[in-house]
Amino acid sequence: MIASQIDTLATELDALVASASRVFSGLQAASADPSLARYAAALSGGSEQTAALERGVRLLHVYTRFGDAEGQAQACEALAKLCVVGVDDARRQAMLDHGVLASLVVVVRSERPEPLCAATELLAAVAGGSLDHRRAVLRCGVLSPLVGALRH
C-alpha cells in the first residue's frame, strides 16, 4: 500500500516538474522575442529591465520553493547582472520590494555550491547600493548562514 502511494506521488511530482518545465521554457522563449518583451514591460508598467527584474524575482521564489538548485543559480545570476555597477539604486530597491532577500536566505541555508555562489554574488550586488540596501541585507538574517556555509 505504501509503495503504491509512493509511486502515485512520484508520478504526480514528475507531472508537476514537466508542467513547470513547459511554463518556464515558454517564459524564456517569450523573452527572446523583442515585441513580447516590450509588451510584458508595458503590462508591468515599467521598462523591459523592470519586467525582467520582476520575472527574475518571481522565478527565484518558485525555484526556491521547489528546491531547484540550477534554477536558483540561474535566477540569481540574471538578477545580479541587473545590478551592475553604475546603475541607479531603483533596481536594487525593486528587488528588495519584491522580497528577494527572503529567497536568498533559503538558498544560502541550503549550502548547495552553485546556487550559494550565485546568491553570494547577488547579495554583494544588492549590498553595493545605498546604505539602506546594506542595512536591509544585514537585517534579513542571511549573513550568519552565509558565513557558516563559507566555512565548510
Side-chain angles (χ1 to χ4, degrees):
M1 175 148 169
I2 293 176
S4 66
Q5 289 176 336
I6 292 173
D7 289 340
T8 303
L9 288 174
T11 303
E12 290 175 4
L13 184 59
D14 289 341
L16 178 63
V17 168
S19 175
S21 294
R22 284 192 303 275
V23 168
F24 294 132
S25 67
L27 288 173
Q28 291 169 350
S31 66
D33 184 355
S35 61
L36 289 176
R38 286 190 298 275
Y39 177 70
L43 288 177
S44 71
S47 67
E48 291 180 37
Q49 290 85 7
T50 302
L53 182 141
E54 291 171 356
R55 186 173 52 247
V57 173
R58 280 194 310 268
L59 287 173
L60 177 60
H61 292 323
V62 170
Y63 291 140
T64 301
R65 183 172 193 153
F66 289 105
D68 181 348
E70 184 178 341
Q72 292 168 357
Q74 290 173 355
C76 287
E77 289 167 358
L79 289 169
K81 288 178 184 175
L82 291 173
C83 285
V84 294
V85 176
V87 172
D88 64 301
D89 287 340
R91 289 186 196 165
R92 290 178 182 91
Q93 188 60 48
M95 285 186 204
L96 295 176
D97 292 344
H98 283 86
V100 74
L101 293 177
S103 287
L104 290 176
V105 170
V106 174
V107 172
V108 169
R109 285 186 177 154
S110 73
E111 297 185 11
R112 295 180 186 161
E114 188 175 328
L116 177 62
C117 182
T120 303
E121 181 181 350
L122 179 54
L123 281 167
V126 171
S130 70
L131 179 60
D132 289 334
H133 298 143
R134 285 189 286 282
R135 286 181 179 154
V137 170
L138 290 171
R139 288 184 190 139
C140 77
V142 74
L143 294 183
S144 179
L146 179 62
V147 169
L150 294 174
R151 286 184 179 163
H152 289 92

